[in-house]
Amino acid sequence: MGSSSSKPSSTSSSPLVWKASSDLVEALEASPETNVSRKQGVELEIQARVAAELKRLQKAEAAALKDVQEKLSVAGQQVGTEDQSGPSRHAVSKEVAALHAKLVERRKVRDLPESVEAARGEVVRCLRENDRRPLDCWREVEQFKEEVRRLEKGWVDKVVS
């Protein structure tokens, strides 16, 4: 009575068999193409398309460049025929050299005022004394910030005026 299971056994199932016509099998066997040759053919076709597109883009780019060069040459000729009242090349180069010298001079590091150095020293001293409790140095930090604000304000006033 309970010796047989209610489910069919898996050993009784037969594998699925595909039946193909003999014409199809013969056509596949007779074909000289393999998967590798098909992939190579597709790759060559893709490379040819990319090369053709690249040539087309290069021609378009060359045409656009030629148009721009023609427009610039026409504009240059028009500027050449106009009034030559602007500054000469020599005068402009002198002005650029003078501006460059000013820029180099501004890069120089200047010494800080004594008040800023003193406030900085106080912050450093306090932080060294209170290495375990740096929040006790808030007064010194605020004094240093105030000195830096004064220095920045003086610099801004000097630049603006």
mmCIF file of all heavy atoms in Angstrom, residues 131-151:
data_model
loop_
_atom_site.group_PDB
_atom_site.id
_atom_site.type_symbol
_atom_site.label_atom_id
_atom_site.label_comp_id
_atom_site.label_asym_id
_atom_site.label_seq_id
_atom_site.Cartn_x
_atom_site.Cartn_y
_atom_site.Cartn_z
ATOM 1 N N ASP A 131 47.905 71.443 25.429
ATOM 2 C CA ASP A 131 47.868 70.455 24.357
ATOM 3 C C ASP A 131 46.732 69.453 24.544
ATOM 4 O O ASP A 131 46.255 68.861 23.577
ATOM 5 C CB ASP A 131 49.212 69.741 24.224
ATOM 6 C CG ASP A 131 49.584 68.964 25.466
ATOM 7 O OD1 ASP A 131 49.054 69.274 26.545
ATOM 8 O OD2 ASP A 131 50.425 68.039 25.336
ATOM 9 N N ARG A 132 46.259 69.264 25.755
ATOM 10 C CA ARG A 132 45.143 68.337 25.989
ATOM 11 C C ARG A 132 43.789 69.045 25.921
ATOM 12 O O ARG A 132 42.768 68.402 25.759
ATOM 13 C CB ARG A 132 45.270 67.671 27.360
ATOM 14 C CG ARG A 132 46.529 66.919 27.552
ATOM 15 C CD ARG A 132 46.379 65.517 27.066
ATOM 16 N NE ARG A 132 47.581 64.759 27.360
ATOM 17 C CZ ARG A 132 48.153 63.953 26.516
ATOM 18 N NH1 ARG A 132 47.634 63.793 25.335
ATOM 19 N NH2 ARG A 132 49.235 63.312 26.836
ATOM 20 N N ARG A 133 43.809 70.363 26.045
ATOM 21 C CA ARG A 133 42.548 71.130 26.049
ATOM 22 C C ARG A 133 42.692 72.350 25.144
ATOM 23 O O ARG A 133 42.783 73.485 25.596
ATOM 24 C CB ARG A 133 42.227 71.567 27.473
ATOM 25 C CG ARG A 133 41.983 70.399 28.400
ATOM 26 C CD ARG A 133 41.886 70.809 29.830
ATOM 27 N NE ARG A 133 41.463 72.162 30.054
ATOM 28 C CZ ARG A 133 40.864 72.587 31.132
ATOM 29 N NH1 ARG A 133 40.636 71.774 32.105
ATOM 30 N NH2 ARG A 133 40.520 73.837 31.261
ATOM 31 N N PRO A 134 42.695 72.146 23.808
ATOM 32 C CA PRO A 134 42.918 73.279 22.895
ATOM 33 C C PRO A 134 41.754 74.264 22.867
ATOM 34 O O PRO A 134 41.929 75.394 22.424
ATOM 35 C CB PRO A 134 43.093 72.605 21.533
ATOM 36 C CG PRO A 134 42.426 71.287 21.664
ATOM 37 C CD PRO A 134 42.561 70.880 23.098
ATOM 38 N N LEU A 135 40.588 73.874 23.364
ATOM 39 C CA LEU A 135 39.459 74.798 23.339
ATOM 40 C C LEU A 135 39.624 75.925 24.359
ATOM 41 O O LEU A 135 38.889 76.913 24.316
ATOM 42 C CB LEU A 135 38.151 74.046 23.604
ATOM 43 C CG LEU A 135 37.751 73.046 22.522
ATOM 44 C CD1 LEU A 135 36.480 72.334 22.920
ATOM 45 C CD2 LEU A 135 37.563 73.736 21.190
ATOM 46 N N ASP A 136 40.591 75.813 25.263
ATOM 47 C CA ASP A 136 40.850 76.882 26.214
ATOM 48 C C ASP A 136 41.525 78.079 25.559
ATOM 49 O O ASP A 136 41.671 79.129 26.174
ATOM 50 C CB ASP A 136 41.743 76.373 27.356
ATOM 51 C CG ASP A 136 40.986 75.428 28.273
ATOM 52 O OD1 ASP A 136 39.741 75.403 28.202
ATOM 53 O OD2 ASP A 136 41.650 74.721 29.061
ATOM 54 N N CYS A 137 41.944 77.951 24.305
ATOM 55 C CA CYS A 137 42.662 79.016 23.610
ATOM 56 C C CYS A 137 41.745 79.854 22.724
ATOM 57 O O CYS A 137 42.210 80.514 21.796
ATOM 58 C CB CYS A 137 43.787 78.399 22.765
ATOM 59 S SG CYS A 137 44.989 77.500 23.746
ATOM 60 N N TRP A 138 40.491 79.889 22.989
ATOM 61 C CA TRP A 138 39.568 80.590 22.106
ATOM 62 C C TRP A 138 39.813 82.092 22.094
ATOM 63 O O TRP A 138 39.644 82.750 21.062
ATOM 64 C CB TRP A 138 38.111 80.268 22.475
ATOM 65 C CG TRP A 138 37.684 80.769 23.822
ATOM 66 C CD1 TRP A 138 37.795 80.140 25.011
ATOM 67 C CD2 TRP A 138 37.079 82.030 24.082
ATOM 68 N NE1 TRP A 138 37.307 80.904 26.013
ATOM 69 C CE2 TRP A 138 36.848 82.082 25.465
ATOM 70 C CE3 TRP A 138 36.713 83.115 23.300
ATOM 71 C CZ2 TRP A 138 36.265 83.186 26.075
ATOM 72 C CZ3 TRP A 138 36.119 84.203 23.905
ATOM 73 C CH2 TRP A 138 35.904 84.235 25.286
ATOM 74 N N ARG A 139 40.249 82.659 23.223
ATOM 75 C CA ARG A 139 40.502 84.104 23.257
ATOM 76 C C ARG A 139 41.669 84.474 22.339
ATOM 77 O O ARG A 139 41.592 85.456 21.594
ATOM 78 C CB ARG A 139 40.816 84.543 24.685
ATOM 79 C CG ARG A 139 39.631 84.548 25.598
ATOM 80 C CD ARG A 139 39.996 85.079 26.990
ATOM 81 N NE ARG A 139 38.914 84.846 27.909
ATOM 82 C CZ ARG A 139 38.818 83.807 28.739
ATOM 83 N NH1 ARG A 139 39.773 82.897 28.763
ATOM 84 N NH2 ARG A 139 37.782 83.677 29.532
ATOM 85 N N GLU A 140 42.726 83.694 22.401
ATOM 86 C CA GLU A 140 43.896 83.951 21.566
ATOM 87 C C GLU A 140 43.552 83.796 20.079
ATOM 88 O O GLU A 140 44.005 84.575 19.232
ATOM 89 C CB GLU A 140 45.048 83.004 21.939
ATOM 90 C CG GLU A 140 45.705 83.308 23.262
ATOM 91 C CD GLU A 140 44.955 82.717 24.464
ATOM 92 O OE1 GLU A 140 43.881 82.110 24.277
ATOM 93 O OE2 GLU A 140 45.434 82.900 25.594
ATOM 94 N N VAL A 141 42.731 82.782 19.762
ATOM 95 C CA VAL A 141 42.327 82.557 18.372
ATOM 96 C C VAL A 141 41.483 83.723 17.881
ATOM 97 O O VAL A 141 41.672 84.213 16.757
ATOM 98 C CB VAL A 141 41.575 81.210 18.233
ATOM 99 C CG1 VAL A 141 40.950 81.073 16.851
ATOM 100 C CG2 VAL A 141 42.503 80.042 18.512
ATOM 101 N N GLU A 142 40.576 84.206 18.703
ATOM 102 C CA GLU A 142 39.745 85.343 18.304
ATOM 103 C C GLU A 142 40.595 86.599 18.099
ATOM 104 O O GLU A 142 40.362 87.369 17.168
ATOM 105 C CB GLU A 142 38.647 85.611 19.347
ATOM 106 C CG GLU A 142 37.541 84.585 19.343
ATOM 107 C CD GLU A 142 36.821 84.506 18.009
ATOM 108 O OE1 GLU A 142 36.537 85.552 17.390
ATOM 109 O OE2 GLU A 142 36.554 83.365 17.572
ATOM 110 N N GLN A 143 41.594 86.811 18.953
ATOM 111 C CA GLN A 143 42.487 87.963 18.797
ATOM 112 C C GLN A 143 43.254 87.848 17.480
ATOM 113 O O GLN A 143 43.396 88.828 16.741
ATOM 114 C CB GLN A 143 43.459 88.057 19.984
ATOM 115 C CG GLN A 143 44.421 89.208 19.901
ATOM 116 C CD GLN A 143 43.724 90.560 19.936
ATOM 117 O OE1 GLN A 143 42.672 90.707 20.543
ATOM 118 N NE2 GLN A 143 44.303 91.533 19.266
ATOM 119 N N PHE A 144 43.735 86.626 17.146
ATOM 120 C CA PHE A 144 44.455 86.409 15.891
ATOM 121 C C PHE A 144 43.532 86.675 14.691
ATOM 122 O O PHE A 144 43.928 87.333 13.727
ATOM 123 C CB PHE A 144 44.988 84.972 15.845
ATOM 124 C CG PHE A 144 45.666 84.624 14.551
ATOM 125 C CD1 PHE A 144 46.891 85.165 14.208
ATOM 126 C CD2 PHE A 144 45.059 83.755 13.664
ATOM 127 C CE1 PHE A 144 47.508 84.855 13.018
ATOM 128 C CE2 PHE A 144 45.669 83.426 12.467
ATOM 129 C CZ PHE A 144 46.897 83.977 12.141
ATOM 130 N N LYS A 145 42.293 86.191 14.753
ATOM 131 C CA LYS A 145 41.333 86.428 13.665
ATOM 132 C C LYS A 145 41.086 87.918 13.476
ATOM 133 O O LYS A 145 40.984 88.411 12.340
ATOM 134 C CB LYS A 145 39.999 85.718 13.953
ATOM 135 C CG LYS A 145 40.036 84.229 13.765
ATOM 136 C CD LYS A 145 38.658 83.668 14.051
ATOM 137 C CE LYS A 145 38.596 82.176 13.910
ATOM 138 N NZ LYS A 145 37.240 81.663 14.228
ATOM 139 N N GLU A 146 40.992 88.655 14.574
ATOM 140 C CA GLU A 146 40.751 90.100 14.485
ATOM 141 C C GLU A 146 41.941 90.802 13.829
ATOM 142 O O GLU A 146 41.753 91.685 12.982
ATOM 143 C CB GLU A 146 40.484 90.672 15.876
ATOM 144 C CG GLU A 146 40.151 92.140 15.868
ATOM 145 C CD GLU A 146 38.898 92.462 15.060
ATOM 146 O OE1 GLU A 146 37.959 91.648 15.035
ATOM 147 O OE2 GLU A 146 38.875 93.548 14.443
ATOM 148 N N GLU A 147 43.153 90.403 14.162
ATOM 149 C CA GLU A 147 44.343 90.997 13.544
ATOM 150 C C GLU A 147 44.382 90.701 12.041
ATOM 151 O O GLU A 147 44.712 91.569 11.231
ATOM 152 C CB GLU A 147 45.617 90.486 14.220
ATOM 153 C CG GLU A 147 45.811 90.973 15.639
ATOM 154 C CD GLU A 147 45.960 92.479 15.734
ATOM 155 O OE1 GLU A 147 46.520 93.091 14.799
ATOM 156 O OE2 GLU A 147 45.511 93.052 16.735
ATOM 157 N N VAL A 148 44.029 89.476 11.673
ATOM 158 C CA VAL A 148 44.018 89.111 10.249
ATOM 159 C C VAL A 148 42.941 89.903 9.521
ATOM 160 O O VAL A 148 43.144 90.359 8.386
ATOM 161 C CB VAL A 148 43.818 87.586 10.083
ATOM 162 C CG1 VAL A 148 43.559 87.229 8.631
ATOM 163 C CG2 VAL A 148 45.027 86.840 10.607
ATOM 164 N N ARG A 149 41.777 90.106 10.158
ATOM 165 C CA ARG A 149 40.711 90.917 9.540
ATOM 166 C C ARG A 149 41.196 92.335 9.261
ATOM 167 O O ARG A 149 40.929 92.903 8.199
ATOM 168 C CB ARG A 149 39.481 90.950 10.450
ATOM 169 C CG ARG A 149 38.535 89.825 10.221
ATOM 170 C CD ARG A 149 37.208 90.026 10.976
ATOM 171 N NE ARG A 149 36.785 88.731 11.462
ATOM 172 C CZ ARG A 149 36.848 88.297 12.715
ATOM 173 N NH1 ARG A 149 37.265 89.103 13.665
ATOM 174 N NH2 ARG A 149 36.484 87.090 13.038
ATOM 175 N N ARG A 150 41.910 92.923 10.227
ATOM 176 C CA ARG A 150 42.439 94.282 10.038
ATOM 177 C C ARG A 150 43.429 94.317 8.869
ATOM 178 O O ARG A 150 43.399 95.235 8.050
ATOM 179 C CB ARG A 150 43.133 94.768 11.307
ATOM 180 C CG ARG A 150 42.186 95.201 12.376
ATOM 181 C CD ARG A 150 42.932 95.870 13.523
ATOM 182 N NE ARG A 150 42.179 95.637 14.745
ATOM 183 C CZ ARG A 150 42.687 95.300 15.912
ATOM 184 N NH1 ARG A 150 43.986 95.180 16.048
ATOM 185 N NH2 ARG A 150 41.928 95.103 16.950
ATOM 186 N N LEU A 151 44.297 93.310 8.811
ATOM 187 C CA LEU A 151 45.283 93.242 7.732
ATOM 188 C C LEU A 151 44.586 93.104 6.374
ATOM 189 O O LEU A 151 44.934 93.799 5.416
ATOM 190 C CB LEU A 151 46.232 92.063 7.968
ATOM 191 C CG LEU A 151 47.319 91.857 6.933
ATOM 192 C CD1 LEU A 151 48.295 93.026 6.956
ATOM 193 C CD2 LEU A 151 48.046 90.551 7.188
#
